Amino acid sequence: MAMNRIQFQSGLSMPAFLNQFGTEAQCEAELEQARWPHGFVCPCCDFTDASVFRVGSHPTFQCKSCRNQTSLIAGTLFESTKLPLTVWFLAIYWISQAKTGLSALALKRLLGVSYPTAWLLQHKIMAAMSERDAQYRLSGRVDMDDAYLGGELNGGKVGRGSENKVPFVAALSLDEDGHPLYIKIAPVPGFTSEAISAFAKDNLEPGSAVQSDGLPCFAAVTEAGCTHTAIVVGNRKPKEMLMFLWLNTVLGNLKTSLSGAYHAFGFAKYASRYLGAFAYRFNRRFKLDQLPKRLLDACIVAGPCPAAWLRSAEASC
Ligand SMILES: [Zn+2]
């Protein structure tokens, strides 16, 4: 089985992670190294010497030239947090290692924090995942499909045209042997040419060779400089078509992974974040042991308010 190589790879064990990031001092050193790889640099005057003291629980650097003060967590995803960095790092570890996704409720229990805090941690980290993955586009051979999330548990009609569902588009790039490489998934306002054109411009390199079923809107990928081949499936469901086997396998995994999240408050509102987090993890599935560290780096550079992150009237965590 081709997938066994992924399923049986060794991840980063909890003891190994705690060995590296089990204390606040270790987490602070990691963050400092990531922010200033060659030592402290004042954001105001570029001076490289500072005195370090603590305001609250996190270190603050005061430039010895201009006396500007910079918190270690300023400008990162952790900005203004009152939580210890060890809690953030553990949240990042759990989210990076959870193959089937992790609910805010599970995170609350694992970390011993309140539910609102767990929700914020989860959503900020998922926003950082989405933001990092948005920097990449698919190229080469790409299979595309339309699907819905969230409606299965509410009953009602299944498939296109059903109610109370989040419509989304998935694109999966394949290697020369037809094995899956990378995925892009995003909610769309509807299955229209405008929506597909916008999705393709955001997510596909010009020149990609897109294959889809016969839904007319998919032809709009040509507006993004891609070629398009429609495979007419007739009365057969796409999942019965061999050429869409991998895409439908991945979409099945996605639905399993998010089935718990369907119940979450605001699932439809935050669908792009759930989808982006799933894609982030899928796209790095060959390097499970490196995932926690890479996700840490993504959180550090994501900034305090990632573009995908907006929710008013939230308490800070
Ligand atoms: Zn300075």
Side-chain angles (χ1 to χ4, degrees):
M1 286 287 292
M3 294 299 275
N4 279 1
R5 190 158 61 88
I6 301 169
Q7 287 168 355
F8 282 84
Q9 68 179 309
S10 55
L12 181 64
S13 72
M14 189 80 196
F17 182 81
L18 288 177
N19 205 27
Q20 286 182 65
F21 305 115
T23 70
E24 195 66 9
Q26 285 174 316
C27 295
E28 287 171 0
E30 176 69 20
L31 187 50
E32 187 178 338
Q33 168 69 22
R35 281 197 69 186
W36 300 299
H38 307 294
F40 172 80
V41 180
C42 174
C44 286
C45 71
D46 289 340
F47 198 66
T48 54
D49 199 6
S51 11
V52 184
F53 57 94
R54 283 180 184 270
V55 175
S57 50
H58 302 292
T60 290
F61 293 70
Q62 178 167 295
C63 173
K64 285 189 176 173
S65 174
C66 75
R67 309 191 70 73
N68 172 70
Q69 293 183 357
T70 309
S71 166
L72 177 62
I73 56 176
T76 72
L77 194 70
F78 320 118
E79 182 167 295
S80 59
T81 188
K82 294 179 180 65
L83 291 173
L85 288 176
T86 48
V87 173
W88 275 96
F89 278 40
L90 261 183
I92 288 167
Y93 174 80
W94 285 118
I95 287 174
S96 74
Q97 295 294 293
K99 186 190 174 191
T100 54
L102 195 64
S103 70
L105 199 57
L107 204 56
K108 161 188 161 9
R109 291 174 184 141
L110 285 166
L111 299 175
V113 297
S114 71
Y115 181 81
T117 295
W119 192 95
L120 274 173
L121 282 164
Q122 183 199 27
H123 277 254
K124 286 194 176 187
I125 293 167
M126 289 198 304
M129 295 163 102
S130 299
E131 190 169 85
R132 173 55 67 100
D133 228 39
Q135 297 172 4
Y136 304 103
R137 291 179 179 183
L138 305 183
S139 59
R141 180 183 158 191
V142 175
D143 282 357
M144 273 179 83
D145 202 4
D146 58 294
Y148 289 88
L149 276 177
E152 288 81 355
L153 299 175
N154 299 329
K157 289 189 287 181
V158 174
R160 291 166 186 158
S162 37
E163 297 169 354
N164 299 322
K165 297 181 182 226
V166 179
F168 70 96
V169 169
L172 179 69
S173 66
L174 303 163
D175 68 15
E176 290 175 355
D177 299 323
H179 292 127
L181 291 172
Y182 304 107
I183 198 164
K184 288 283 186 175
I185 325 169
V188 287
F191 298 117
T192 62
S193 296
E194 292 75 21
I196 297 298
S197 172
F199 175 90
K201 286 170 184 167
D202 285 345
N203 295 291
L204 307 180
E205 291 287 354
S208 300
V210 176
Q211 184 174 271
S212 73
D213 66 17
L215 195 65
C217 62
F218 283 119
V221 298
T222 54
E223 292 175 18
C226 303
T227 62
H228 178 242
T229 307
I231 310 293
V232 179
V233 296
N235 290 328
R236 284 178 293 174
K237 291 178 180 169
K239 68 181 175 190
E240 293 165 8
M241 305 291 289
L242 261 184
M243 60 274 290
F244 295 121
L245 178 69
W246 280 117
L247 183 52
N248 284 292
T249 300
V250 176
L251 291 182
N253 290 343
L254 169 71
K255 291 185 177 186
T256 304
S257 166
L258 295 184
S259 59
Y262 296 154
H263 300 289
F265 168 73
F267 173 74
K269 184 175 176 185
Y270 304 113
S272 65
R273 207 172 291 153
Y274 286 104
L275 293 171
F278 176 89
Y280 175 95
R281 201 179 179 289
F282 179 88
N283 291 337
R284 290 155 186 80
R285 66 198 179 284
F286 294 111
K287 294 169 179 168
L288 263 190
D289 57 334
Q290 296 175 22
L291 252 187
K293 180 65 172 65
R294 293 174 75 169
L295 184 50
L296 267 179
D297 293 341
C299 289
I300 289 164
V301 302
C305 187
W309 169 258
L310 271 179
R311 181 170 173 183
S312 57
E314 280 296 338
S316 61
C317 67

